Amino acid sequence: MLALLTLLAAPAAPAATLVTPSGDAVPENLLRIGLHLDAPLSAALDMVRVTLFDDNGAVIEHAFLDLPLASADGKSVTLLLDPGRIKTGVGPNVALGPALRAGQGVRLRVDDPQLGHAVEKRWRVESSLRSRIEPQHWTVRLAKRGSRQALRIGFPTALDGDAAPLLALQGPDGRRLAGSARLADGEREWRFTPASAWRPGTYLLRIHPRLEDPQGNRLCSAFEQAGQSAQQCGEEGRREFIIE
């Protein structure tokens, strides 16, 4: 009976609810993969149980750094692909080549027992994305005044899976607009639903300097830009729009 009670009281395994990038394709220079969990892990993710396979089912060796990064609340874990294999001309890139190769397919498998079940995700690999993030290339799909429709901001390429809180709206009164935000469409769209109906006026989308895409490209620089690692992005991005 005691064993049964202990079993019933055991917390549910923190199964991964989402792997990002969640779309069907990733660029050859993908740097980060995110596991988004229902609950924090009890210990660091075991990177021995994290594997990338190619189209033929062969293991892609030395693809990851042995450095899983947990978020502050423990409910997301970032897997880092070896940046030395991504940056052109760096030793591992020259010796081993990139872990991902455009035109091929890859399969991620994570079978750490802490997850409760194996997690898998497949992608096709496309050409590298080596440009900084350009908010002026984003599209804005306006909501109707007087409604609580979601405002939709579209991106040419996916953002990081944890990027939703790094965008905020300033209303016509100059204050931050209350509401809920989430990423959709393979992290290629930001959807914001206001707490109250949209009012007419000028709105400002404010973009935190820490915003990145899964390749490590930022607002102020691309991942492969000379001196990027030492460069501090200090200025936020902005996009203004009007609801009439």
Side-chain angles (χ1 to χ4, degrees):
M1 177 63 73
L2 180 60
L4 176 60
L5 291 175
T6 301
L7 178 62
L8 292 175
T17 58
L18 179 69
V19 177
T20 57
S22 64
D24 296 329
V26 293
E28 189 178 68
N29 61 330
L30 179 70
L31 176 64
R32 290 189 290 263
I33 296 171
L35 302 179
H36 304 269
L37 312 170
D38 294 321
L41 299 175
S42 58
L45 186 76
D46 185 357
M47 291 301 295
V48 173
R49 311 302 292 267
V50 178
T51 312
L52 270 181
F53 300 91
D54 65 16
D55 275 333
N56 299 317
V59 174
I60 301 174
E61 300 286 356
H62 311 297
F64 294 102
L65 294 183
D66 188 18
L67 187 67
L69 302 177
S71 61
D73 63 5
K75 295 180 70 173
S76 67
V77 178
T78 299
L79 311 177
L80 295 173
L81 283 86
D82 184 351
R85 298 188 65 174
I86 295 171
K87 285 199 171 186
T88 306
V90 173
N93 175 268
V94 174
L96 301 174
L100 308 183
R101 296 179 185 272
Q104 299 182 346
V106 293
R107 174 171 59 93
L108 171 74
R109 180 177 173 84
V110 184
D111 60 356
D112 187 321
Q114 296 181 83
L115 296 174
H117 62 85
V119 174
E120 292 198 355
K121 177 73 173 116
R122 294 177 183 269
W123 297 281
R124 66 178 183 276
V125 183
E126 299 181 338
S127 300
S128 295
L129 295 173
R130 303 185 186 276
S131 301
R132 67 187 182 96
I133 297 172
E134 302 274 8
Q136 64 267 30
H137 295 161
W138 297 356
T139 60
V140 181
R141 296 181 61 180
L142 298 177
K144 293 182 179 180
R145 61 180 291 183
S147 77
R148 292 188 60 241
Q149 292 177 332
L151 174 78
R152 299 168 68 172
I153 309 291
F155 320 118
T157 57
L159 296 182
D160 261 348
D162 291 322
L166 298 179
L167 288 82
L169 278 182
Q170 180 177 306
D173 59 0
R175 298 180 181 178
R176 180 168 181 165
L177 203 64
S180 60
R182 66 183 181 91
L183 294 176
D185 190 25
E187 299 76 61
R188 293 183 60 171
E189 187 174 82
W190 184 76
R191 297 181 184 177
F192 179 86
T193 302
S196 56
W198 294 102
R199 294 180 294 162
T202 300
Y203 291 78
L204 184 64
L205 177 68
R206 303 181 64 168
I207 307 153
H208 199 285
R210 291 205 316 269
L211 183 75
E212 295 190 10
D213 67 17
Q215 293 70 246
N217 301 313
R218 303 184 291 175
L219 288 172
C220 66
S221 64
F223 179 68
E224 287 222 33
Q225 183 173 317
Q228 188 261 15
S229 59
Q231 184 172 350
Q232 297 295 317
C233 284
E235 294 187 9
E236 67 179 17
R238 296 189 171 202
R239 277 289 301 272
E240 189 176 273
F241 60 92
I242 298 173
I243 292 181
E244 299 179 340

